[in-house]
Amino acid sequence: ILRDGRFVALAIGFALSFAGAMSYIAAAPFVTQRVLGMSPLGFALSFAVSASAMVLANLVNIRLVSRIRPPRLLAAGIALVLGSGLAFLLQTLIGVLTPAGFIITAFVLTAGSGFVLANASALALDRVPTARGSASALLGAIQFLFGGLAAPVVGLWGESTALPTAIAISVCGAGALMSAIIALRPRSAAAQL
């Protein structure tokens, strides 16, 4: 499985997108309540809104996948993940992050993650038709390894800033983009012979 470079690239992009979402999940209580001053109920409602985005993205993906190929849906998902990270980072850096801005970027992030996780896993498993069970287990292991590493990173600067979260999501989105470019690049004419 690991000899297939495109599988590895898809797996890394898959895991990085998940790590971006885990960065948000790990930091959301602190960002919403300590940085933005929202109540616990406000946090709960904002979290429910962002969680619904992943469900919605998967429902939309089901409808679109018969008309739009998975590589395009994967690219759209990565664009949403990276765009949300950069928007979150920009809002944080210039000091205009508001509860509404946070909720919107979180919604876009989790929707993008829904598209990435569904399509990257389908494309990766398609690369290894004789070892799909092992490949699926490997995808899950890498996903939770990256997510487990990302979660504590967002707390490195304490609970009074959203900057580590915004950086982590942006870096994960950029890494997922790089991985997708590698995985989805057209094969050279020499490699096709």
Side-chain angles (χ1 to χ4, degrees), residues 19-192:
M22 286 304 296
S23 297
Y24 154 70
I25 291 168
F30 305 107
V31 172
T32 55
Q33 294 177 68
R34 299 217 176 163
V35 176
L36 297 173
M38 294 172 65
S39 69
L41 178 60
F43 159 69
L45 293 173
S46 73
F47 197 81
V49 167
S50 67
S52 70
M54 189 170 286
V55 174
L56 181 62
N58 282 298
L59 292 172
V60 170
N61 192 68
I62 290 167
R63 296 280 187 191
L64 294 178
V65 78
S66 63
R67 294 186 308 257
I68 301 172
R69 303 294 303 148
R72 289 189 186 267
L73 293 171
L74 173 62
I78 289 172
L80 292 173
V81 170
L82 179 57
S84 68
L86 294 174
F88 185 27
L89 182 59
L90 181 63
Q91 291 175 74
T92 302
L93 287 174
I94 63 175
V96 297
L97 183 65
T98 63
F102 181 75
I103 292 167
I104 291 167
T105 55
F107 185 89
V108 173
L109 169 68
T110 53
S113 292
F115 281 106
V116 173
L117 297 177
N119 292 289
S121 61
L123 290 165
L125 294 176
D126 194 46
R127 299 283 315 160
V128 288
T130 60
R132 286 194 175 129
S134 297
S136 181
L138 184 58
L139 282 174
I142 293 170
Q143 171 186 12
F144 285 104
L145 173 66
F146 280 43
L149 292 172
V153 168
V154 300
L156 288 177
W157 285 302
E159 301 172 358
S160 61
T161 178
L163 188 58
T165 308
I167 291 171
I169 294 168
S170 298
V171 168
C172 288
L177 175 63
M178 300 282 284
S179 296
I181 289 169
I182 292 167
L184 302 175
R185 73 185 182 281
R187 294 188 337 191
S188 68
Q192 292 177 10

